[in-house]
Amino acid sequence: MSMNFEPTSEAEAADIIRQAAAHAVPLAITGGGTRSGLGNSVRAERGLSTRRLSGILSYNPAEMTMSARAGTPMREIEAALAGNRQMLAFEPMDHRGVMGTSGEPTIGGVFAANVSGPRRITAGAARDHLLGIRFINGSGEPIKSGGRVMKNVTGLDLVKLLCGSHGTLGLLTEVTFKVLPLPPAAATIVAFGLDDAQAAAAMAHALSMPVEVSGAAHLTESVRYRFIGSSHAEGAATVLRLEGLPASVAVRAEKLKAAFAQVAPATVLDQDATEKLWRDIRDVKPYADGTQKPLWRVSVAPTAGHLLVAALRLQTGVDAFYDWQGGLVWLRMEADAESEMLRRFIKGIGGGHATLVRASDAVRAVTPAFEPEPAPVAALSARLKERFDPYGIFNPGKMGDEYAA
């Protein structure tokens, strides 16, 4: 028998899970496998992949909704949407570059990991776009959100619970989600030479202006040349994206450029350059470096990110840049993961959470990948896991249950 199960139907997947539950065989749940290193090491004997549960089931461009099987490749989803000038507004990251993986990202994997990109600050996270799901619980029972309700979990929002659960609560088999029109035009205002603190203030000011910024990032001097070439002014680059109708984008770009001109030299990138830049920011291009240097994804208050990085730089070798108006900090450690120091400093600046996205197997073995939960939350998580996966067969260890209080 193969070490990996690749069912072609929900019924086949349910049967595999029932058999695994009956014999207490742990399963490593994956989609295309492009994020398989995310989270803690999974203690499983066999793999269960949704990659053959593939295909768009329905797409109504007028109603801006799509349903697809969980294993449908993202390129297939994006091609269908592009044909109708529509998009996934939450801009999900492709992890292959930073994680050194191959294969095809799947729509189920995107929602299982709640993967959200630069437009998160205005469009919301992946889970905010998910309308419905079908999944198989740990007893091998197919469940439809809004239809059949699992015993003892009445009142729980199953869509929100499963999104971001990394395959630990159930095997997603179908997802239904909303899509949005692709903006007809886009431009990016770039201000050069601001330090991290100045950039945080500038981004906050830009977000408060009536210009509808849809992306705000600060590319520190150490990384900016990986994003924007040397034909522009020197120093770090603070970038702000505008989208919409061409005439509107042009007017707003001039207004924003004028506001920036008072504090830094500024320029405007055209649509093609804008699309490339934000795709590179989305996919964390500078740290898609072929190494296993520890890479952290840190979420904090937008005004606090630069304080965290400044504190870390006094203690250890770290490279960083900022997305989400400064609230998402991508940190690459030069040597050790420094998880205890990092999480202590995060508490010190008002709180947030750090997720270890990439590291060597040795580092991952001793480092909790996700923010350890306070005891009451950990107890609630354990009870939910018990309800959904009573035999403990789905991705055991991935969310760090061995670290729970």
Side-chain angles (χ1 to χ4, degrees):
M1 187 180 288
S2 168
M3 290 301 290
N4 280 314
F5 297 111
E6 295 190 354
T8 57
S9 68
E10 185 181 81
E12 186 185 347
D15 189 54
I16 290 165
I17 290 167
R18 277 193 297 274
Q19 292 293 321
H23 297 94
V25 175
L27 298 171
I29 305 296
T30 61
T34 63
R35 298 182 185 89
S36 55
L38 191 59
N40 301 298
S41 299
V42 175
R43 303 182 301 270
E45 299 168 25
R46 291 177 178 265
L48 174 55
S49 168
T50 61
R51 75 184 76 206
R52 295 178 69 192
L53 289 172
S54 181
I56 293 170
L57 298 168
S58 65
Y59 173 30
N60 189 327
E63 290 186 8
M64 294 191 288
T65 58
M66 180 183 279
S67 294
R69 292 189 178 92
T72 309
M74 284 299 296
R75 58 181 166 75
E76 195 176 314
I77 301 283
E78 287 166 347
L81 293 175
N84 289 279
R85 296 217 34 94
Q86 293 183 335
M87 65 174 180
L88 294 171
F90 56 92
E91 232 170 339
M93 173 183 177
D94 182 342
H95 282 77
R96 286 177 291 186
V98 296
M99 301 195 77
T101 52
S102 56
E104 289 287 340
T106 64
I107 190 66
V110 162
F111 285 114
N114 191 32
V115 181
S116 312
R119 213 180 279 107
R120 165 81 171 79
I121 57 171
T122 55
R127 64 164 52 92
D128 300 311
H129 297 254
L130 189 57
L131 301 172
I133 55 174
R134 286 184 65 92
F135 69 97
I136 302 167
N137 68 11
S139 299
E141 299 168 328
I143 308 289
K144 180 183 177 185
S145 69
R148 179 179 173 188
V149 176
M150 275 179 67
K151 187 179 179 184
N152 294 332
V153 293
T154 306
L156 291 177
D157 186 338
L158 301 186
V159 169
K160 295 284 195 290
L161 270 177
L162 269 288
C163 190
S165 65
H166 294 268
T168 60
L169 297 179
L171 179 80
L172 284 176
T173 57
E174 290 178 20
V175 288
T176 300
F177 47 94
K178 58 185 174 184
V179 300
L180 285 176
L182 201 61
T188 299
I189 287 72
V190 189
F192 294 98
L194 300 179
D195 65 28
D196 291 9
Q198 291 169 327
M203 288 189 289
H205 177 62
L207 267 290
S208 73
M209 292 174 64
V211 292
E212 298 174 51
V213 170
S214 71
H218 179 61
L219 315 176
T220 51
E221 194 164 8
S222 60
V223 303
R224 73 144 273 205
Y225 295 104
R226 296 295 306 275
F227 289 112
I228 296 173
S230 54
S231 56
H232 299 284
E234 294 294 306
T238 308
V239 295
L240 298 152
R241 180 175 59 186
L242 302 174
E243 297 175 306
L245 296 169
S248 167
V249 168
V251 169
R252 286 182 284 141
E254 282 307 310
K255 190 179 292 187
L256 201 48
K257 186 180 176 186
F260 263 100
Q262 299 171 31
V263 293
T267 190
V268 180
L269 302 183
D270 66 16
Q271 180 145 357
D272 288 346
T274 289
E275 288 175 3
K276 181 182 185 305
L277 170 64
W278 289 95
R279 188 166 56 249
D280 290 346
I281 292 172
R282 180 196 78 177
D283 295 342
V284 195
K285 182 183 177 183
Y287 306 144
D289 52 13
T291 75
Q292 289 191 317
K293 288 181 179 179
L295 178 64
W296 290 95
R297 180 185 184 277
V298 180
S299 182
V300 291
T303 52
H306 67 97
L307 300 174
L308 173 68
V309 173
L312 286 167
R313 280 183 172 144
L314 294 175
Q315 302 287 331
T316 189
V318 60
D319 197 26
F321 74 93
Y322 308 83
D323 197 0
W324 298 1
Q325 194 203 320
L328 175 61
V329 188
W330 287 102
L331 291 172
R332 188 191 64 191
M333 301 302 192
E334 290 307 311
D336 297 329
E338 306 285 9
S339 61
E340 289 179 14
M341 180 197 300
L342 172 60
R343 287 174 166 141
R344 187 172 73 249
F345 285 0
I346 289 171
K347 285 194 179 95
I349 57 162
H353 54 84
T355 302
L356 184 63
V357 173
R358 176 189 71 203
S360 67
D361 289 344
V363 170
R364 289 175 62 216
V366 296
T367 308
F370 298 103
E371 197 72 32
E373 295 175 329
V377 180
L380 177 61
S381 296
R383 286 203 298 276
L384 281 172
K385 174 77 170 160
E386 195 180 332
R387 290 274 184 257
F388 283 81
D389 181 21
Y391 305 102
I393 61 170
F394 288 148
N395 277 350
K398 186 159 187 100
M399 294 292 279
D401 43 34
E402 65 267 52
Y403 301 108

